[in-house]
Structures are given as structure tokens and as C-alpha cells.
Amino acid sequence: MKNIVPHYDIEQRFTFVITTELSVRNIACWITMGIFNLSILLKNTLMPILANAGSGRRTMMNHPLIETGVYMRLRYLIPLAVVMLPSLATADNCEIAVSAADGMAYDSRSINVPASCETFTVNFEHKGRLPKGGMGHNWVLTKSADVNDVAKAGSDAGIANDFLPEDDSRVIAATPLLGGGEKASVSFKTAELSTEDSYTFFCSFPGHWAMMRGSLQLVN
Ligand SMILES: [Cu+2]
């Protein structure tokens, strides 16, 4: 499953595994998706526009773009493009962009870290507007088995410590706690990870970590 780029997932319905591997299989997958989208676009939107062109007077409401439902169809492609572009931009790279807004969710649910990278960097951005004290987010990486204990210790540590226990060896990597509009990067050595273990990234802000999390794995 780790090499399949667009994929269906029981829990998330439809998501993308962001992969850094430019394998033949991945590239073929993107090309297939592109041809599929183009054929849908041609059949459902461009053909009706051509058929309608020149017929009748045009007002705002009978403009072919609105009449043929182009907007209604394209609006599904817009989020798709938003998801696809960053994953392509980070292809074959030892870094990834992750963001969150004023909700308890990251834009990534699964991250593959290539074992070929010596270090891996996460460029984290809080794209929301709410302050750190109300809707702060960080990006914390631990073994999946350690998430609950580290998060609880983080709550006790308080916002002065970015809701993380001080000098805790279970924390593999962590950004500072960010408020809306802030960015931070964190790097870690891939030698600290094992392909045998499962890792989880999460936000240690109290009440966030139960939902605001994703999986991370080291892949060969
Ligand atoms: Cu958060």
C-alpha cells in the first residue's frame, strides 16, 4: 500500500498517501488519474459548451459556464488539485509540508519517510487565524505506543512548555506550538526510526491529540 499514491481508505474514504518515491508505478498512477480526469472534463463540460456555443443570448445565468454546470463539476477538481500539487512538489525530497488551520486536523494523515534520506524535515504551518492560546497547534512525533502518555505529560507541562514534557526521550521530533499565521520546521535523523515500528504525529494541545494525528512510517 505504501507506494500507491491516490488510494481509498476505509476510514478516510479518499485520500492521498504522499510519497517521495518517483517510481514507475507512481508516475503511471498519476498519468492514469490525469487521463481519467481529462476524459471526464471533456465529456461532461467541454462538449456541452461547444454544443451550446452561439445559441441564444447570453446573460449571467445562461452563460455556458453556468448552464452546463462547469462550476459544479470543477469545484470537485479544485480540492483535488490542492491536494495533488503539494505532494508533487515534495516528490523525491527529504522534506514535506504539513499544515493545519483553525480546526483540529492536519492536511496530511499519513507520511512516508524514505530510508534513503539521512534527515527528514517537516515544514509545518498554522494557516488559521486563531491565537496560540485558543487554537495552538504543533507537530510532534513519537512511537505510536507513546502518544497517549506523552500527550498527557504534555498537558501537565502547560502552554509555557508548548504542552510537551521537557527533555523527554520519547519525543522524536517536535515543532514549537504555533498560533495562526506562524510557521516552524523540524528535522530528525531517519536513523532514529525503524521500518519495524509504527510512528504517530500529533498535536499535543489539550483536547487536540485524540483527533489531530496521523501515521508516519519509514519506508525502504
Ligand atoms: Cu492542535
Short mmCIF file of all heavy atoms in Angstrom, two decimals, residues 34 48 67 213:
data_model
loop_
_atom_site.label_atom_id
_atom_site.label_comp_id
_atom_site.label_asym_id
_atom_site.label_seq_id
_atom_site.Cartn_x
_atom_site.Cartn_y
_atom_site.Cartn_z
N GLY A 34 -4.68 11.50 -14.50
CA GLY A 34 -4.77 12.68 -15.36
C GLY A 34 -5.64 12.40 -16.57
O GLY A 34 -6.51 13.20 -16.91
N PRO A 48 -20.54 19.91 -23.91
CA PRO A 48 -21.77 20.72 -23.83
C PRO A 48 -21.53 22.19 -24.12
O PRO A 48 -22.37 22.85 -24.72
CB PRO A 48 -22.22 20.51 -22.38
CG PRO A 48 -21.61 19.23 -21.96
CD PRO A 48 -20.31 19.13 -22.70
N GLU A 67 -24.59 27.37 -17.26
CA GLU A 67 -25.65 26.48 -17.77
C GLU A 67 -25.23 25.02 -17.76
O GLU A 67 -26.01 24.15 -17.42
CB GLU A 67 -25.96 26.88 -19.20
CG GLU A 67 -27.37 27.38 -19.37
CD GLU A 67 -27.61 27.77 -20.82
OE1 GLU A 67 -26.72 27.57 -21.67
OE2 GLU A 67 -28.68 28.28 -21.06
N ARG A 213 -4.11 13.81 14.48
CA ARG A 213 -2.97 12.91 14.41
C ARG A 213 -2.92 12.20 13.06
O ARG A 213 -3.89 12.18 12.32
CB ARG A 213 -3.05 11.87 15.52
CG ARG A 213 -4.35 11.07 15.50
CD ARG A 213 -4.28 9.84 16.34
NE ARG A 213 -4.30 10.11 17.77
CZ ARG A 213 -4.00 9.21 18.70
NH1 ARG A 213 -3.64 8.00 18.34
NH2 ARG A 213 -4.06 9.51 19.97
#
